């Protein structure tokens, strides 16, 4: 079969150089386009040539149609280096040398060839196939498997970090277990990869099939070959090459697992190569590369459906847990009480829940903070398990501070900013906007940035004593087109409310009734210049964050709800703490909000702070539940959100459809 194509900027390809022997033998790979150098052995006086191949070999004549005329019927191709010959086997050989290409040379006046060379071809099908189309199973016969593209029409395979624990050999996640052997449950977390090596068995006595990875990818992936009784580790963790023992099998199955999440120094792309190598001289006659992108770790915002709530059981929060159980029951969510906590009540600070996903599998993954206090062993010992992954970022203990706890880590719902869509939201974390020394640890922020799909934004939080962004902001769902609201703490709104009540004649209404011996009236609060000065400073700091989030999340004023709060400062304009339980620091479970009970002034038997918050939030279709956390959390400089944590349902949106 002979085809004609116009010459273009052809990529470099293998070339077969003809000799004067008259008969040659070559091994070629199905689908591979090979150049034949027909000019190396041109007989004297020959002016023309033609090429013929058997039906299992496609022959292509490549030329510049502007310079060379295509021969008519019965005519030959001119001896002109502007005419090139390419061949490509279209099926694997059933027997040795069952493909044939004949090149014949002619002089101007002769009808019979003055010389002919016969090239016998044995064709083998070599292919490394993966889920290029992202449909959950291996796609066969695809081209351009060495490129990976984002977007809904993107292509390229995806690899999960195998960070759950399905093996029983250690307490480590599977990706850190170097001794255990994968089992049937474990390989479901891995990406299948099929190797085809089809052709006459005899040819593989002289040619070998080899899988290879780059040294830099050795610590990022691991490859197993499926055997009759177990899975054999063949690549990764120091193993850079593997010679495939074909044993008369045309197709072999491998499983690939990711070992590391992306980071700023690791884009997430890893490569596996297959090559056909001639044993005699170790010459590579074929090479194919497939690329995987390691799936990112993804945070879930408050607007996602809650699935499990975690809380620590410590000496002073028995009453709070009783209230929490009732609240969680109303939201139809599961409560998990942690008793092994070494007195550490701050469940939110120790870990952040997210997930990872490939087309064939997804599972939740807990990100363990480097804070390492009483709950330091809980994420790995109690959360890690089958289909529940674990990842952490270690740092020098001397460099870890309050900013590295995960009360200082949040994520927005999906947003669009100046036409740029963030369908998985944007990660938010706190630090100083001016002091390089007051930042979340770089090992954590590098990890967050490296995931690429939730483009992190830094907020200003170091004006607070604890320094966590959950002290002044949160997100709640809303039953409207926008789908959510940003709630911000607001001293301005609180002072305006108290002034309004004072004008209405309720200046003697008392705060903290029943929970604190130091009861204060509205009049006393409004006369406290230090309290007002601190709250004014804090309002200015919150307004800075308000503008950052309007700019970086594409919000308008209608998307923001101001929740009343007052702050106190031991040092002027520094180290602010909430004066009463901080209602922004809430637990969001669907349409149910677990809000710290503020113990505000009662007007006509009702807390005016609670009434204000209800008037702001309940029109959105939300139900406010005010829970007493005064003795169990507020006195320890935290609130309900600080003391709880939530596993939420993953997004329906597929991260590989993003366009970072």
């Amino acid at each position: 079969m002979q085809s004609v194509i116009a010459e273009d900027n052809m990529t470099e390809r293998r070339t077969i150089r003809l000799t004067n022997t008259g008969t040659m033998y070559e091994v070629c790979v199905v689908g591979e386009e090979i150049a034949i150098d027909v000019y190396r052995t041109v007989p004297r006086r020959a002016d023309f040539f033609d090429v013929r191949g058997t039906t299992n070999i496609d022959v292509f004549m490549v030329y510049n149609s502007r310079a060379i005329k295509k021969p008519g019927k019965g005519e030959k191709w001119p001896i002109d280096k502007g005419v090139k010959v390419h061949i490509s086997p279209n099926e694997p050989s059933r027997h040795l040398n069952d493909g044939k290409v004949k090149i014949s040379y002619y002089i101007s006046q002769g009808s019979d060839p003055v010389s002919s060379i016969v090239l016998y071809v044995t064709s083998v099908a070599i292919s490394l196939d993966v889920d290029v189309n992202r449909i959950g199973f291996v796609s066969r016969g695809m081209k351009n498997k060495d490129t990976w593209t984002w977007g809904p029409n993107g292509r390229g395979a995806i690899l999960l970090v195998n960070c759950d624990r399905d093996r029983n050999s250690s307490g480590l996640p599977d990706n850190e277990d170097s001794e255990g052997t994968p089992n049937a449950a474990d390989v479901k977390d891995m990406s299948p990869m099929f190797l085809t090596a089809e052709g006459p068995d005899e040819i593989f006595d002289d040619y070998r099939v080899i899988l290879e990875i780059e040294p830099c990818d050795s610590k990022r992936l691991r490859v197993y070959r499926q055997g009759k009784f177990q899975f054999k580790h063949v690549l990764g963790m120091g193993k850079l090459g593997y010679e495939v023992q074909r044993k008369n099998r045309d197709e072999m199955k491998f499983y690939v697992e990711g070992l590391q999440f992306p980071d700023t120094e690791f884009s997430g792309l890893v490569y596996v190569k297959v090559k056909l190598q001639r044993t005699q001289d170790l010459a590579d006659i074929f090479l194919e590369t497939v690329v995987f992108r390691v799936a990112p770790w993804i945070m879930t915002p408050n607007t996602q459906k809650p699935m499990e709530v975690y809380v620590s059981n410590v000496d002073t929060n028995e009453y709070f847990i009783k209230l929490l159980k009732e609240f969680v029951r109303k939201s139809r969510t599961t409560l998990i009480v942690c008793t092994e906590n070494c007195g550490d009540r701050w469940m939110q600070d120790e870990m952040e829940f997210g997930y990872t996903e490939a087309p064939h599998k997804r599972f939740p993954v807990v990100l363990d903070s480097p804070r390492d206090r009483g709950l330091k062993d809980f994420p790995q010992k109690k959360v890690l398990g089958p289909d529940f992954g674990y990842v952490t970022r270690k740092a020098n203990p001397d460099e870890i501070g309050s900013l590295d706890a995960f009360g200082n880590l949040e994520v927005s719902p999906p947003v669009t900013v100046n036409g740029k869509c963030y369908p998985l939201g944007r990660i938010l974390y706190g630090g100083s906007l001016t002091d390089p020394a007051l930042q979340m640890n770089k090992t954590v922020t590098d990890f967050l940035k490296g995931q690429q799909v939730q483009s992190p934004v830094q907020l200003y939080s170091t004006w607070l004593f604890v320094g966590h962004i959950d002290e002044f902001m949160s997100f709640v769902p809303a039953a409207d087109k926008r789908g959510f609201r940003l709630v911000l703490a607001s001293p301005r709104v609180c002072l305006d409310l108290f002034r309004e009540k004072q004008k209405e004649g309720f200046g003697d209404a008392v705060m903290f009734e029943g929970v604190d011996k130091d009861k204060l009236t509205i009049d006393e609060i409004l006369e406290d210049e230090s309290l007002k000065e601190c709250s004014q400073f804090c309002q200015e700091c919150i307004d800075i964050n308000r503008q950052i989030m309007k700019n970086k999340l594409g919000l308008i004023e209608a998307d923001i709800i101001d929740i009343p709060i007052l702050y106190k400062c031991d040092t002027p304009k520094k180290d602010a703490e909430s004066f009463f339980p901080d209602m922004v620091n809430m637990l969001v479970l669907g349409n149910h909000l677990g809000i710290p009970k503020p113990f505000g002034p009662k007007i006509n038997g009702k807390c005016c702070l609670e009434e204000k918050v209800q008037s702001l939030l309940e029109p959105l279709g939300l139900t406010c539940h005010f829970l007493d956390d005064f003795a169990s959390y507020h006195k320890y400089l935290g609130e309900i959100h600080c003391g709880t944590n939530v596993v939420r349902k993953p997004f329906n949106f597929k991260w590989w459809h993003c366009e970072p």
Side-chain angles (χ1 to χ4, degrees):
M1 176 181 178
Q2 187 180 97
S3 299
V4 179
I5 59 176
E7 186 175 34
D8 57 11
N9 295 322
M10 307 299 291
T11 57
E12 185 177 350
R13 54 176 48 82
R14 180 182 166 211
T15 299
I16 297 174
R17 306 190 186 283
L18 300 182
T19 66
N20 291 314
T21 59
T23 303
M24 295 180 62
Y25 299 88
E26 282 288 346
V27 172
C28 300
V29 175
V30 173
E32 178 191 21
E33 197 166 318
I34 305 163
I36 298 181
D37 184 354
V38 298
Y39 299 102
R40 191 179 181 201
T41 57
V42 176
R44 269 178 45 187
R45 299 186 302 118
D47 300 302
F48 300 94
F49 76 98
D50 70 4
V51 184
R52 293 289 181 265
T54 51
T55 57
N56 55 354
I57 306 290
D58 294 331
V59 178
F60 303 95
M61 307 303 295
V62 183
Y63 71 106
N64 186 337
S65 60
R66 292 187 296 271
I68 298 171
K69 181 181 178 182
K70 177 184 174 183
K73 186 175 181 181
E75 295 179 339
K76 314 300 182 189
W77 287 95
I79 301 292
D80 185 318
K81 290 193 175 181
V83 179
K84 298 178 177 65
V85 178
H86 294 171
I87 65 168
S88 178
N90 54 50
E91 64 181 10
S93 294
R94 299 180 182 179
H95 309 286
L96 287 176
N97 307 318
D98 63 358
K100 186 170 67 172
V101 177
K102 186 176 181 180
I103 303 95
S104 300
Y105 298 93
Y106 301 84
I107 62 175
S108 298
Q109 305 303 321
S111 59
D112 296 326
V114 295
S115 176
S116 294
I117 298 173
V118 177
L119 174 65
Y120 288 96
V121 176
T122 302
S123 305
V124 295
I126 304 291
S127 181
L128 200 55
D129 291 314
V130 292
D131 182 12
V132 173
N133 291 324
R134 305 170 189 168
I135 52 179
F137 52 86
V138 171
S139 306
R140 308 301 184 97
M142 304 300 296
K143 301 294 184 182
N144 303 319
K145 291 174 279 191
D146 60 344
T147 58
W148 205 98
T149 53
W150 294 89
N153 298 314
R155 296 174 72 256
I158 293 169
L159 201 59
L160 288 176
V161 176
N162 189 19
C163 60
D164 67 342
R165 189 171 66 202
D166 293 311
R167 308 171 192 175
N168 299 316
S169 57
S170 72
L172 297 171
D174 294 334
N175 62 312
E176 297 181 18
D177 181 6
S178 60
E179 302 296 331
T181 302
N183 53 36
D186 195 19
V187 296
K188 291 180 180 179
D189 301 332
M190 304 182 193
S191 295
M193 180 174 70
F194 294 162
L195 171 61
T196 300
E198 187 178 357
D201 294 336
E202 303 95 316
I203 206 67
F204 295 101
D205 294 335
D206 299 317
Y207 291 82
R208 59 181 188 171
V209 180
I210 299 173
L211 292 179
E212 285 185 346
I213 59 173
E214 295 295 330
C216 62
D217 287 339
S218 178
K219 61 183 180 181
R220 297 168 176 166
L221 64 81
R222 194 158 41 193
V223 179
Y224 296 90
R225 179 172 179 178
Q226 182 174 358
K228 189 173 183 180
F229 301 108
Q230 63 179 2
F231 300 91
K232 179 183 178 181
H233 172 209
V234 297
L235 288 175
M237 301 299 291
K239 297 182 179 182
L240 302 180
Y242 172 65
E243 182 178 346
V244 177
Q245 303 302 312
R246 183 171 168 274
K247 295 182 180 178
N248 301 320
R249 293 200 305 172
D250 292 337
E251 185 175 85
M252 291 134 282
K253 196 169 188 178
F254 295 84
Y255 289 94
V256 189
E257 65 174 340
L259 301 180
Q260 292 183 359
F261 280 97
D263 215 313
T264 53
E265 296 182 355
F266 170 39
S267 70
L269 296 178
V270 293
Y271 300 85
V272 182
K273 300 177 182 179
V274 60
K275 65 183 183 182
L276 184 65
Q277 187 179 80
R278 192 161 48 222
T279 307
Q280 181 181 10
D281 56 4
L282 301 184
D284 297 340
I285 69 165
F286 175 77
L287 175 67
E288 183 175 69
T289 303
V290 299
V291 60
F292 294 89
R293 180 175 290 278
V294 177
W297 178 80
I298 301 170
M299 283 183 67
T300 48
N302 287 350
T303 48
Q304 291 300 110
K305 180 181 178 180
M307 302 176 74
E308 294 177 335
V309 178
Y310 286 76
V311 67
S312 285
N313 181 11
V314 294
D315 291 341
T316 56
N317 74 343
E318 182 178 353
Y319 174 63
F320 172 76
I321 289 181
K322 180 180 178 182
L323 297 176
L324 183 64
K325 284 181 178 178
E326 179 62 20
F327 169 62
V328 170
R329 184 188 66 80
K330 290 178 180 177
S331 66
R332 298 182 180 180
T333 310
T334 301
L335 179 65
I336 298 173
V337 179
C338 166
T339 57
E340 300 176 19
N341 52 57
C342 299
D344 187 354
R345 72 189 66 232
W346 307 117
M347 184 64 74
Q348 182 66 221
D349 287 343
E350 182 57 41
M351 59 189 182
E352 187 69 52
F353 288 113
Y355 69 97
T356 191
E357 181 176 18
H360 67 281
K361 183 75 180 282
R362 77 178 178 193
F363 52 79
V365 178
V366 59
L367 174 62
D368 190 358
S369 81
R371 141 187 200 271
D372 286 350
R373 289 172 59 179
L375 282 164
K376 65 179 182 178
D377 296 326
F378 180 74
Q380 184 166 348
K381 288 188 175 180
K382 297 299 181 179
V383 179
L384 170 65
D387 286 343
F388 209 124
Y390 170 91
V391 63
T392 189
R393 281 297 180 266
K394 298 295 185 183
N396 186 331
D398 296 334
E399 298 176 351
I400 300 303
S402 180
L403 295 176
D404 305 312
F406 285 167
N408 196 31
L409 183 63
E410 295 295 322
V411 64
S412 78
V415 292
T416 299
V417 186
N418 296 325
K420 168 69 175 174
C421 184
Y422 298 90
L424 301 173
R426 299 192 74 174
I427 287 174
L428 305 166
Y429 64 92
S432 170
L433 299 181
T434 57
D435 188 345
L438 296 177
Q439 306 293 335
M440 181 177 279
N441 196 280
K442 190 173 184 296
T443 60
V444 177
T445 56
D446 281 355
F447 173 81
L448 298 174
K449 293 172 185 175
Q451 307 314 305
Q452 299 187 61
V453 296
Q454 292 182 301
S455 188
V457 174
Q458 180 175 308
L459 301 179
Y460 174 37
S461 67
T462 49
W463 52 278
L464 292 155
F465 178 76
V466 176
H468 294 177
I469 62 174
D470 69 349
E471 297 177 73
F472 64 83
M473 56 81 62
S474 185
F475 294 97
V476 297
D480 57 18
K481 185 177 180 180
R482 185 55 162 165
F484 73 91
R485 294 291 188 277
L486 167 65
V487 292
L488 284 179
S490 177
R492 184 186 299 117
V493 166
C494 188
L495 291 172
D496 287 347
L497 176 65
F498 284 177
R499 292 186 185 107
E500 176 187 322
K501 297 305 177 185
Q502 186 184 55
K503 288 181 180 179
E504 292 174 357
F506 299 107
D508 58 351
V510 176
M511 286 201 70
F512 305 130
E513 188 173 358
V515 292
D516 198 314
K517 62 182 179 180
D518 296 325
K519 302 181 183 67
L520 293 172
T521 65
I522 291 177
D523 289 338
E524 290 171 326
I525 290 171
L526 293 177
E527 291 170 0
D528 189 331
E529 294 301 324
S530 174
L531 185 64
K532 289 193 291 183
E533 182 182 359
C534 178
S535 289
Q536 181 178 350
F537 160 69
C538 294
Q539 183 66 63
E540 293 170 358
C541 296
I542 293 169
D543 286 344
I544 291 172
N545 288 295
R546 184 190 205 93
Q547 194 59 47
I548 291 173
M549 285 188 278
K550 286 173 72 173
N551 292 340
K552 299 296 186 180
L553 302 181
L555 305 181
I556 59 175
E557 280 299 319
D559 300 323
I560 303 172
I561 294 177
D562 293 299
I563 301 295
I565 187 64
L566 292 178
Y567 293 98
K568 58 184 178 179
C569 303
D570 291 335
T571 304
K573 297 189 175 183
K574 187 179 180 183
D575 296 339
E577 304 169 16
S578 61
F579 178 62
F580 56 81
D582 183 358
M583 292 182 286
V584 165
N585 195 274
M586 64 180 72
L587 175 61
V588 180
L589 301 180
N591 295 328
H592 294 270
L593 308 180
I595 302 173
K597 187 175 181 64
F599 293 97
K602 288 186 177 180
I603 311 295
N604 298 323
K606 294 183 179 180
C607 172
C608 65
L609 291 172
E610 290 185 18
E611 283 193 312
K612 178 66 173 179
V613 169
Q614 286 175 309
S615 71
L616 294 170
L617 297 179
E618 293 194 345
L620 300 174
L622 305 173
T623 302
C624 298
H625 306 261
F626 294 94
L627 309 181
D628 179 3
D629 76 338
F630 199 94
S632 52
Y633 293 97
H634 176 69
K635 281 193 170 184
Y636 296 92
L637 306 184
E639 309 290 355
I640 295 175
H641 184 264
C642 305
T644 58
N645 218 317
V646 184
V647 180
R648 298 186 184 275
K649 186 178 179 181
F651 287 99
N652 290 327
F653 183 89
K654 305 304 180 184
W655 64 263
W656 50 90
H657 290 170
C658 288
E659 296 183 1

